[in-house]
Amino acid sequence: MAANPRRLNVTELDFDDIKDNLKIFLKGQTEFTDYDFEGSGMNILLDTLAYNTHYLAFNANMLANEMFLDSSSLRSSVVSHAKTLGYVPQSARAATATVEVALNTTNATATMDAGTVFNTTIEGDAYTFINPIEKTAANIGNSIVFSNLVLYEGTFVTSRYTVNTQDVEQRFLINDNRVDTRTLTVKVQNSVSDSTTTTYTLATDIAQITGTSHVYFLQEVEVGKFEVYFGDGVLGSALSDDNIVILQYVVSNKEDGNGASVFTSAGAIDTVSSVIVTTIDSSSGGSEAESIESI
Amino acid sequence: MAHGASLNTAFPDAQSKNINLDRDAQVYKDLDLFFGKKNTSKDISKVNGIQAIKRSVRNLILTNIYEKPFHPEIGSGIRGLLFEPLSPITAFVLSQKVEDVIENFEPRARLVGVRANPDLDRNAYEISVEFYVQNAPTELVDTTVLLERLR
C-alpha cells in the first residue's frame, strides 16, 4: 500500500528512515519544497527533528531492554535485577595461598592480627599477602604453629564511618571495586568514647533474623563497588547515632596474584621475629568480579 | 550549523527577486536560516528560487565533515584549512573542496567555477562560486562567502 503523505509514518526507529518519513510527509504540502537537498535550511531542520526522534526512540528501546534481566546490558541494571532475586554478584577474587606459620618462641600463646602482611614475588614483582582475620594459637614444644592459614593477596584496608541517622543519604561504601568481599569484616563500635565493639555477620537467611540480630547486608552498587547496609530494628539490629562502622577488607590485584609460592613474614608476629613460613598451597584463584553474562 | 555575525546580513539581491512563480517548472522554497521575519506577519520568512539555491551552496560550504548527524561524508571539510598558512596553495585546495561539495551535494547547481581569494588584511578567504541553475541556463549565478577562522 502506498504511503499516505498526509499521515506521518511512525514505525521507523533509524535516523535515515525517520528523516525519509518526514520528507514523505512534507511532500503533502507546498509551503517548503527544498527539504530533499542536503544544503537546504529545511534539511537542517529535518536533521534536527530526525535526530531528536531517533534519540528518543533509542532511549525508549534502551529503557525497555533494561527493564528485564534477559535483555538488560548495563551492569547496574543486571545487578539490580539480580538483587530482586536475592543474588549478590561475586566480587573480585584475591589470589589465596595456604601456608603454615611457625613462631620460634617459648611464649604460651601468640596472636596474629588481622592485616598481618607476608611478602612474596611473582615474576620479579613484589606482592603482599594478608591474613584478614585475627588468629590465636598455643605453644607446642617451643614453637607456636598457625596451620592451614589462608592468606589473601592484596592490601588490607580499614574504612570507618560515623553513623548519622539524620543523613538520609549516608552510605557505607567500600570504595574500591577490587575488594574481595570474602575478606570483609564489619564491626560496629558504640561511639568514640565507648569502645565496645560488636562484630556483624553477613545476613544469609532472612528467616533467622530478628530485630536484635547483628547482621549486615551487602549489595553491589555503582561502578562495581559494594555497599554495606544494616537492619532497621525489625530485620536486623539498627544502628544509632555516633556508632562507628568499621569495615576491614582486602583490596586485591585479582589474577595478578596467582602463582606465588614462597612467602616471608614482613615483620614480627606478636613480638616474635623468628618466623618460618611453609607453603602448603601456592597462590591461585585470583579473578575478576563476576561478569554480566555470568550474573 | 554555525552562522557568523559577519555573514548574517543577507543582501536581498536582484536574483532573489527574479523568481517567477507562474512560469517556473519547479519552485524552490526553503526556510530562511537567518530567521528573518515576514513584513506582513510574524511568521518566519522564506527564501525562494535562486536565493534558496545560493543559501544551500553557502550552507554546504560552511558545513564541516562529521557535522551532520549520521552523515559524516556531507560537508566541505574546509575548516581545518582555515588554520593553514594563508597562501595560494591553500586557496587552491580550498576551492577544490568547495567544488567537490557542490558537485556532490547540490544537484540544482551546474558549477562553472570556484575562486578562493586570500584576503591577507582580514585574515580570511573570499570564496566566489559561479554556477548555473539546472534547467535555467541563461542566468549565471554568482555567490560569495567570506571564510574566517572565527565565525
Side-chain angles (χ1 to χ4, degrees):
Chain A
M1 190 175 73
N4 182 350
R6 289 283 175 190
R7 289 187 181 175
L8 191 55
N9 192 354
V10 293
T11 55
E12 313 298 341
L13 296 177
D14 288 340
F15 178 85
D16 286 325
D17 296 333
I18 295 165
K19 197 171 166 184
D20 286 344
N21 284 338
L22 288 169
K23 285 178 183 175
I24 290 168
F25 174 71
L26 286 174
K27 283 177 184 168
Q29 53 84 51
T30 56
E31 189 72 15
F32 294 104
T33 58
D34 285 8
Y35 46 82
D36 232 353
F37 301 109
E38 292 299 338
S40 69
M42 279 301 286
N43 203 281
I44 292 163
L45 193 67
L46 291 185
D47 276 341
T48 312
L49 290 168
Y51 175 66
N52 187 48
T53 305
H54 175 74
Y55 198 111
L56 292 173
F58 178 82
N59 197 23
N61 182 263
M62 196 76 188
L63 192 67
N65 282 341
E66 295 306 312
M67 285 171 70
F68 302 98
L69 181 58
D70 287 334
S71 55
S72 53
S73 56
L74 296 177
R75 186 175 180 89
S76 57
S77 307
V78 175
V79 168
S80 179
H81 289 304
K83 188 182 169 189
T84 62
L85 301 171
Y87 182 71
V88 180
Q90 181 181 293
S91 70
R93 286 291 186 244
T96 58
T98 309
V99 296
E100 183 178 273
V101 178
L103 311 182
N104 291 322
T105 177
T106 54
N107 295 347
T109 60
T111 300
M112 187 188 294
D113 293 330
T116 300
V117 176
F118 294 85
N119 293 326
T120 188
T121 56
I122 301 170
E123 295 177 353
D125 295 327
Y127 286 89
T128 57
F129 278 68
I130 307 293
N131 165 42
I133 304 166
E134 186 180 282
K135 303 267 186 184
T136 302
N139 201 318
I140 315 165
N142 288 338
S143 75
I144 299 172
V145 178
F146 296 90
S147 55
N148 291 323
L149 186 70
V150 179
L151 303 179
Y152 291 79
E153 184 277 323
T155 309
F156 193 63
V157 177
T158 302
S159 304
R160 293 170 190 273
Y161 295 93
T162 302
V163 176
N164 177 8
T165 55
Q166 300 303 306
D167 182 0
V168 293
E169 293 182 351
Q170 185 173 37
R171 301 168 78 191
F172 308 113
L173 285 175
I174 298 171
N175 279 315
D176 198 314
N177 57 14
R178 294 177 301 150
V179 62
D180 184 339
T181 54
R182 291 176 302 178
T183 64
L184 177 65
T185 56
V186 178
K187 295 174 184 170
V188 177
Q189 185 177 324
N190 283 359
S191 67
V192 175
S193 55
D194 180 357
S195 62
T196 307
T197 303
T198 308
T199 300
Y200 280 57
T201 55
L202 179 64
T204 51
D205 184 357
I206 202 166
Q208 303 296 318
I209 300 172
T210 68
T212 56
S213 303
H214 290 133
V215 293
Y216 70 88
F217 304 90
L218 192 64
Q219 66 177 347
E220 187 182 317
V221 289
E222 62 274 7
V223 293
K225 292 179 181 176
F226 281 85
E227 179 186 359
V228 170
Y229 61 105
F230 296 88
D232 55 2
V234 179
L235 272 176
S237 174
L239 300 179
S240 313
D241 277 340
D242 298 331
N243 281 170
I244 299 168
V245 174
I246 304 166
L247 308 178
Q248 291 182 311
Y249 48 89
V250 172
V251 173
S252 79
N253 292 300
K254 299 180 275 195
E255 61 266 27
D256 290 355
N258 293 336
S261 56
V262 179
F263 300 91
T264 55
S265 175
I269 297 173
D270 203 358
T271 70
V272 179
S273 56
S274 177
V275 179
I276 299 167
V277 184
T278 308
T279 305
I280 299 170
D281 287 326
S282 298
S283 66
S284 62
S287 64
E288 296 283 343
E290 189 171 4
S291 66
I292 295 174
E293 290 75 21
S294 172
I295 298 170
Chain B
M1 181 170 296
H3 298 288
S6 62
L7 296 164
N8 275 348
T9 49
F11 295 105
D13 55 37
Q15 287 164 340
S16 69
K17 316 239 183 244
N18 279 348
I19 192 163
N20 187 327
L21 293 173
D22 295 331
R23 293 173 58 191
D24 279 357
Q26 181 168 10
V27 178
Y28 302 117
K29 290 187 279 190
D30 193 14
L31 185 72
D32 177 12
L33 277 191
F34 296 155
F35 295 106
K37 197 179 77 171
K38 275 185 181 173
N39 291 330
T40 51
S41 70
K42 290 180 180 176
D43 280 350
I44 192 169
S45 63
K46 287 189 289 190
V47 285
N48 298 310
I50 293 167
Q51 181 73 355
I53 301 168
K54 288 169 76 175
R55 287 287 182 86
S56 176
V57 166
R58 176 188 169 279
N59 288 340
L60 284 170
I61 293 171
L62 294 178
T63 302
N64 209 4
I65 52 170
Y66 290 99
E67 192 174 314
K68 259 183 173 309
F70 299 93
H71 284 282
E73 77 282 5
I74 298 174
S76 64
I78 57 169
R79 183 124 187 89
L81 286 174
L82 299 179
F83 291 85
E84 296 295 327
L86 205 72
S87 69
I89 295 170
T90 312
F92 176 74
V93 178
L94 207 66
S95 62
Q96 288 292 310
K97 282 181 176 286
V98 171
E99 277 180 26
D100 287 346
V101 74
I102 295 169
E103 284 178 349
N104 288 332
F105 300 110
E106 186 44 88
R108 294 172 292 182
R110 187 159 59 81
L111 197 61
V112 174
V114 176
R115 286 194 312 276
N117 299 319
D119 188 340
L120 295 164
D121 293 335
R122 297 163 75 181
N123 209 17
Y125 289 95
E126 196 176 73
I127 306 289
S128 176
V129 182
E130 287 182 335
F131 61 91
Y132 288 105
V133 175
Q134 291 286 10
N135 300 325
T138 55
E139 187 179 1
L140 184 65
V141 181
D142 179 67
T143 187
T144 304
V145 181
L146 188 72
L147 295 179
E148 293 175 293
R149 287 181 195 171
L150 300 176
R151 287 197 264 133

